[in-house]
């Protein structure tokens, strides 16, 4: 099998086209094409009916503020899930990047965000390198990295809250500037989603990542450099986590191990899966993840509107993940579900 056989499939025949259409009518196909948008619209309509002031009182802007860091974490998670792997350390990386940025803003000024993004991208790349070349399962490796990054955050911050005391005006436009009523920070996530969509759809590397998720052995035999594609995907996860950390400082002006950004792991995974990403790999659409993140941002508002206590919101996230995984998982390709 050649590169073109994997990356540039032959045009579908009439029978193949019919099979594809039938596949799109199955639960997984329907979810991945229209599910994320439909779920967001349904939940938004529910919130609008139960809490009309949400729509008239600037609720959309508030939702975009909440969804912006979730979106970036979810996009990074989706790039890894597309390989059939998972990154349990990316939310902890958000906190570490926020702490590094808060401390670097005063001495480095405009160079501080760049330094922060380089550091966390390297963390992601190291994750990918160890997984790909060390043949360590991503769940185990990133669980270990989670502990290491959390320890590094405590060391960097001396177990206290780290405040950005200078040059914060550099980040002010992210939440101080609005386009179409939504903060610039949210549009940064939308642009990232559009770029990743184009990468996955039109570039050899992006198509190769999807090929790894669909059939890693086949991708390897076709000549794809599967190991380096894994490194690239995890590096992207680190980069996007770093961008989320920048948003944390832009919004809160401070970072701590238990503050803003520390609880993004479950919402990020949920947003990626609700956005149509298959946890078995090979299926993701970054554009739909925009709606997945908005849906996750709406969950606390919708749960409150129907009378669910804040303490039970993790239960809602859990149920959403179970349903979304059931709808996106390719059982026929997987064969045996473990």
């Amino acid at each position: 099998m050649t590169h073109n056989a994997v990356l540039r499939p032959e045009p579908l025949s009439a029978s193949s086209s019919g099979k594809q259409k039938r596949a799109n009518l199955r639960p997984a196909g329907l979810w991945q094409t229209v599910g994320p948008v439909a779920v967001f619209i349904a939940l938004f309509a529910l919130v609008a009916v139960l809490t009309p002031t949400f729509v008239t009182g600037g609720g959309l802007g508030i939702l975009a503020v909440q969804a912006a860091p979730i979106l970036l974490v979810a996009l990074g998670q989706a790039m890894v899930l597309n390989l059939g792997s998972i990154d349990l350390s990316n939310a902890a990386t958000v906190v570490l990047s926020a702490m590094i940025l808060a401390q670097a803003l005063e001495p480095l000024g405009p160079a501080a965000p760049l330094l922060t993004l380089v550091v966390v991208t390297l963390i992601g790349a190291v994750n990918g390198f160890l997984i790909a070349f060390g043949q360590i399962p991503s769940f185990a490796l990133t669980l270990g990295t989670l502990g290491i990054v959390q320890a590094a955050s405590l060391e960097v911050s001396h177990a206290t809250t780290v405040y950005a005391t200078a040059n914060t005006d550099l980040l002010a436009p992210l939440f101080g500037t609005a386009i179409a009523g939504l903060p610039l920070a949210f549009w940064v996530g939308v642009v990232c989603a559009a770029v990743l969509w184009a990468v996955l759809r039109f570039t050899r590397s992006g198509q190769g990542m999807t090929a790894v998720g669909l059939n890693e052995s086949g991708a390897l035999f076709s000549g794809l450099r599967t190991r380096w594609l894994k490194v690239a995907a995890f590096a992207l996860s680190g980069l996007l986590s770093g961008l989320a950390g920048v948003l944390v400082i832009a919004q809160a002006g401070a970072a701590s191990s238990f503050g803003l950004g520390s609880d993004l792991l479950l919402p990020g995974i949920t947003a990626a899966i609700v956005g149509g990403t298959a946890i078995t790999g090979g299926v993701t659409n970054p554009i739909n993840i925009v709606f997945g993140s908005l849906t996750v941002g709406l969950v606390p508002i919708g749960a409150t509107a129907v009378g669910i206590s804040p303490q039970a919101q993790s239960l809602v996230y859990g149920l959403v993940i179970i349903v979304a995984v059931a709808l996106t998982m390719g059982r026929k390709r997987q064969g045996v579900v473990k």
Side-chain angles (χ1 to χ4, degrees):
M1 188 180 291
T2 65
H3 286 280
N4 290 338
V6 173
L7 301 179
R8 294 193 180 109
E10 294 297 324
L12 292 173
S13 65
S15 61
S16 298
S17 178
K19 291 179 181 178
Q20 182 64 42
K21 290 178 180 178
R22 288 193 295 272
N24 287 336
L25 294 177
R26 295 170 184 162
L30 284 174
W31 179 269
Q32 290 152 4
T33 52
V34 301
V37 179
V39 169
F40 170 69
I41 292 174
L43 184 56
F44 183 82
L46 174 65
V47 172
V49 170
L50 297 178
T51 315
T53 54
F54 174 77
V55 178
T56 60
L60 280 174
I62 296 171
L63 173 61
V65 168
Q66 294 177 343
I70 296 173
L71 172 57
L72 291 170
V73 172
L75 288 171
Q77 192 68 251
M79 296 301 291
V80 174
L81 288 173
N82 192 44
L83 297 172
S85 300
I86 194 167
D87 186 356
L88 298 179
S89 66
N90 63 351
T93 305
V94 173
V95 176
L96 178 62
S97 65
M99 290 179 176
I100 294 173
L101 178 59
Q103 294 187 347
L105 270 173
E106 182 174 2
L108 299 180
L114 179 60
L115 171 66
T116 301
L117 295 179
V118 169
V119 170
V120 294
T121 301
L122 287 174
I123 292 174
V126 169
N127 273 344
F129 186 87
L130 292 175
I131 289 166
F133 290 90
Q135 296 295 295
I136 304 172
S138 60
F139 183 93
L141 189 283
T142 58
L143 184 61
T145 307
L146 168 63
I148 294 171
V149 171
Q150 286 178 335
S153 298
L154 290 172
E155 184 64 27
V156 167
S157 65
H158 303 291
T160 62
T161 301
V162 178
Y163 294 92
T165 58
N167 297 316
T168 54
D169 56 305
L170 295 172
L171 306 178
L174 287 170
F175 288 98
T177 302
I179 300 175
L182 304 179
L184 180 61
F186 177 75
W187 292 111
V188 168
V190 173
V191 170
C192 288
V195 170
L196 291 176
W197 175 84
V199 167
L200 290 173
R201 186 174 178 88
F202 298 115
T203 71
R204 183 177 295 272
S205 295
Q207 293 172 343
M209 290 178 187
T210 299
V212 170
L214 288 171
N215 186 344
E216 184 171 354
S217 297
L220 182 62
F221 283 122
S222 70
L224 290 176
R225 302 179 71 180
T226 58
R227 290 179 175 179
W228 289 109
L229 290 174
K230 290 183 179 181
V231 174
F234 277 89
L236 282 171
S237 181
L239 173 63
L240 290 162
S241 296
L243 285 173
V246 172
L247 297 190
V248 169
I249 297 301
Q251 183 179 0
S256 73
S257 298
F258 306 100
L260 184 64
S262 61
D263 58 349
L264 286 174
L265 179 59
L266 185 56
I269 294 174
T270 306
I273 297 174
V274 171
T277 301
I279 201 168
T280 48
V283 177
T284 190
N285 183 343
I287 301 299
N288 276 346
I289 294 172
V290 175
F291 295 98
S293 67
L294 289 169
T295 299
V296 170
L298 265 178
V299 165
I301 301 170
T304 302
V306 298
I308 298 176
S309 67
Q311 293 80 6
Q313 286 174 11
S314 291
L315 171 64
V316 177
Y317 282 131
L319 291 174
V320 169
I321 288 177
I322 291 171
V323 173
V325 168
L327 290 171
T328 58
M329 189 171 178
R331 293 172 181 78
K332 184 175 181 180
R333 174 169 59 87
Q334 193 73 5
V336 177
V337 178
K338 298 183 179 179

